[in-house]
Amino acid sequence: MSQVAVEELEDRAASLGSIAGSVSGNNVRSVLGDLPAKIGELGGDAEAIEDLRISCTRTAEATETAASDGLSSAASELEAAWTGSAASSAVGAITKQRSALLQDSELFTRAAGVLSSLSTNLASAKEDHTAILDNVADLAARAADVPDDDEEALHEFAVATRRVATAAATLLTALAQENRAAAAELRSISLGGDDVVALTPDGRESLEDILNRYQVAASEYELVDFPPPELVDVINPILERLGFSVPSSKWTQEELDLFLQLRPDEMYTWYRLQQEAYVVSEQQFGDPDNTTHNHVDAFRHAYWNARMTQEFGAEWSEAFATAHERKPENGRYPEAMDLYNNERGREIGTSNPNASPEQIASQVRQSVDQGDMVVISQDGRLAYSDQVGHGGTTTLDDYDESEVDRGGFVPDTDGVRPDRSGLNPWA
């Protein structure tokens, strides 16, 4: 059943709850007349769902047979007839394919189990639904014969109507919950069996879409040490007098090219904003032990992008922050998290170009608290920042993404320059 149908079931259940609370001897006959339409139809075809279950079961069995018998036999025969590095590579490819087929078989088996429950629950719900409608029809027929002045009898019919309306509301609510859970499970299976995202709250952008859309291709160049370590040893004693230091770190060539567009005074501003983002984010959350994949991380990225947008414009800030994420070791989840939160920060910076750092921090913190950012939950799923408590995110040590499946989007930064409008004397 689709998400729209689930929401319709929930809306009908809420309406029936209101009806149950308002029915009385004075309006019971009109309520009984309207009740069948309020309850509505269930929709869905339990037999068709059962047919899908059978198909999934057969596919799972056929896939497992192909992997266990066909490919295992092929690998054994190949090893017996062929030796050397090429043979080992071929056997390895067959073994990998066998493993993939077995995983597919497990996914089809899981889908069959979900469809089995869905079919059984729908068939049972339809029986209950028919019984409730029959009960309503019986009550309406008998209530029609009650005299208007028989208040006691009408009151008894009102009590019975409240019960049947409540039963219908309970039925629809339970079915909606079952269908929502089944849809989430089938969605997980379609993504390869991993519960990659939390359940998206109503009215918000799909977390699955965020995970898939906010990806960028890895840099085609090797990472660069910047500033060069030998230069850092010279400049840091000077910079420490100004209250900060510059560590040598790994940069992508793309972000370095963008950084070198800045004038020396702008480079100083950029480093000051970077340190400011770290300090302010930790101040906001009480100097936490963990600052990765969580609300501190989300705040830091959004604040950093908001402040860069104020200083250098949204276009250059987007190009630089995106280039920063093109490191080859980035995983899908932290990459989607950072790119999404970066964008939210730039929106705040664009909307508040003249705001003070304190005002920007307040805006970003509010966005984190009300769920405008995304984090990675303790069980490794992408989630909105209000779906997970501050202690409920994953830690760097616990987080593991063994297979990095990045998007192929390559940003075009040709012609992108920092915004220097109105700046003097170097504009």
Side-chain angles (χ1 to χ4, degrees), residues 5-312:
V6 168
E7 293 172 350
E8 287 178 355
L9 290 173
E10 291 172 336
D11 289 343
R12 277 192 256 161
S15 175
L16 289 167
S18 298
I19 290 171
S22 62
V23 65
S24 66
N26 294 329
N27 64 6
V28 63
R29 282 182 285 215
S30 63
V31 168
L32 285 168
D34 295 338
L35 207 50
K38 297 291 185 182
I39 295 172
E41 298 298 326
L42 291 187
D45 187 338
E47 292 183 1
I49 295 173
E50 175 61 15
D51 289 341
L52 285 175
R53 181 201 68 78
I54 294 171
S55 296
C56 284
T57 300
R58 289 174 177 170
T59 303
E61 292 171 349
T63 305
E64 182 178 10
T65 299
S68 300
D69 296 341
L71 289 182
S72 292
S73 177
S76 298
E77 292 174 4
L78 186 59
E79 285 180 311
W82 189 18
T83 59
S85 59
S88 297
S89 297
V91 170
I94 292 174
T95 302
K96 185 176 181 180
Q97 181 63 26
R98 177 180 180 275
S99 177
L101 285 176
L102 288 174
Q103 183 179 11
D104 287 343
S105 177
E106 291 177 2
L107 293 178
F108 277 113
T109 300
R110 275 181 59 186
V114 175
L115 293 171
S116 177
S117 297
L118 196 59
S119 173
T120 300
N121 292 337
L122 180 57
S124 176
K126 288 206 167 193
E127 291 180 2
D128 293 340
H129 179 263
T130 298
I132 287 172
L133 290 178
D134 289 344
N135 196 355
V136 170
D138 178 65
L139 286 173
R142 290 192 289 122
D145 296 331
V146 177
D148 292 341
D149 58 356
D150 193 342
E151 295 180 1
E152 182 177 352
L154 290 174
H155 174 72
E156 291 177 357
F157 276 105
V159 171
T161 302
R162 278 196 292 272
R163 289 173 180 165
V164 76
T166 300
T170 301
L171 173 67
L172 297 181
T173 299
L175 187 60
Q177 291 173 345
E178 291 163 358
N179 288 341
R180 192 182 294 276
E185 179 70 4
L186 290 172
R187 193 161 52 238
S188 166
I189 292 169
S190 72
L191 290 170
D194 295 324
D195 294 322
V196 294
V197 296
L199 187 65
T200 302
D202 292 340
R204 300 198 204 177
E205 182 176 1
S206 165
L207 284 163
E208 291 171 17
D209 289 346
I210 291 174
L211 178 62
N212 293 324
R213 185 156 59 88
Y214 286 84
Q215 301 291 330
V216 64
S219 173
E220 60 182 296
Y221 305 102
E222 291 186 5
L223 296 179
V224 181
D225 287 314
F226 186 80
E230 58 273 16
L231 178 60
V232 168
D233 293 338
V234 174
I235 63 175
N236 267 344
I238 300 172
L239 293 176
E240 285 170 359
R241 299 175 187 175
L242 302 174
F244 71 96
S245 60
V246 178
S248 179
S249 56
K250 296 291 186 181
W251 289 47
T252 67
Q253 184 62 53
E254 291 83 0
E255 67 178 320
L256 179 57
D257 290 344
L258 288 161
F259 182 77
L260 293 177
Q261 294 177 1
L262 301 179
R263 303 185 310 246
D265 63 315
E266 293 173 329
M267 291 181 181
Y268 171 81
T269 297
W270 184 91
Y271 275 110
R272 178 173 54 79
L273 293 182
Q274 183 192 49
Q275 180 161 317
E276 181 182 304
Y278 276 95
V279 172
V280 174
S281 64
E282 294 180 14
Q283 288 175 343
Q284 285 285 325
F285 294 91
D287 194 19
D289 294 332
N290 175 34
T291 60
T292 306
H293 305 325
N294 58 11
H295 301 77
V296 185
D297 196 350
F299 180 98
R300 181 175 65 249
H301 273 265
Y303 181 87
W304 177 51
N305 275 261
R307 296 286 285 122
M308 282 199 300
T309 297
Q310 287 184 307
E311 294 289 341
F312 308 119

Side-chain angles (χ1 to χ4, degrees), residues 297-339:
D297 196 350
F299 180 98
R300 181 175 65 249
H301 273 265
Y303 181 87
W304 177 51
N305 275 261
R307 296 286 285 122
M308 282 199 300
T309 297
Q310 287 184 307
E311 294 289 341
F312 308 119
E315 186 181 19
W316 185 90
S317 300
E318 179 180 3
F320 184 87
T322 303
H324 178 73
E325 298 300 326
R326 297 189 67 184
K327 294 178 180 178
E329 70 273 14
N330 266 10
R332 291 182 68 218
Y333 304 102
E335 183 160 300
M337 173 182 168
D338 291 347
L339 289 173

Side-chain angles (χ1 to χ4, degrees), residues 342-423:
N342 290 346
E343 188 171 290
R344 302 289 79 73
R346 291 191 296 273
E347 290 172 353
I348 291 173
T350 300
S351 300
N352 301 273
N354 300 314
S356 67
E358 292 78 15
Q359 290 171 325
I360 292 294
S362 177
Q363 287 274 344
V364 174
R365 178 57 189 265
Q366 181 180 350
S367 293
V368 173
D369 290 344
Q370 68 188 19
D372 294 336
M373 309 290 178
V374 295
V375 296
I376 301 176
S377 66
Q378 204 162 41
D379 54 1
R381 298 187 297 171
L382 196 68
Y384 279 106
S385 51
D386 62 344
Q387 290 182 289
V388 181
H390 291 177
T393 51
T394 188
T395 64
L396 184 61
D397 291 338
D398 291 338
Y399 180 77
D400 175 33
E401 188 177 349
S402 56
E403 292 188 14
V404 177
D405 181 15
R406 300 276 290 280
F409 167 65
V410 178
D412 181 8
T413 58
D414 289 344
V416 175
R417 295 290 182 272
D419 181 5
R420 298 190 174 106
S421 58
L423 296 179

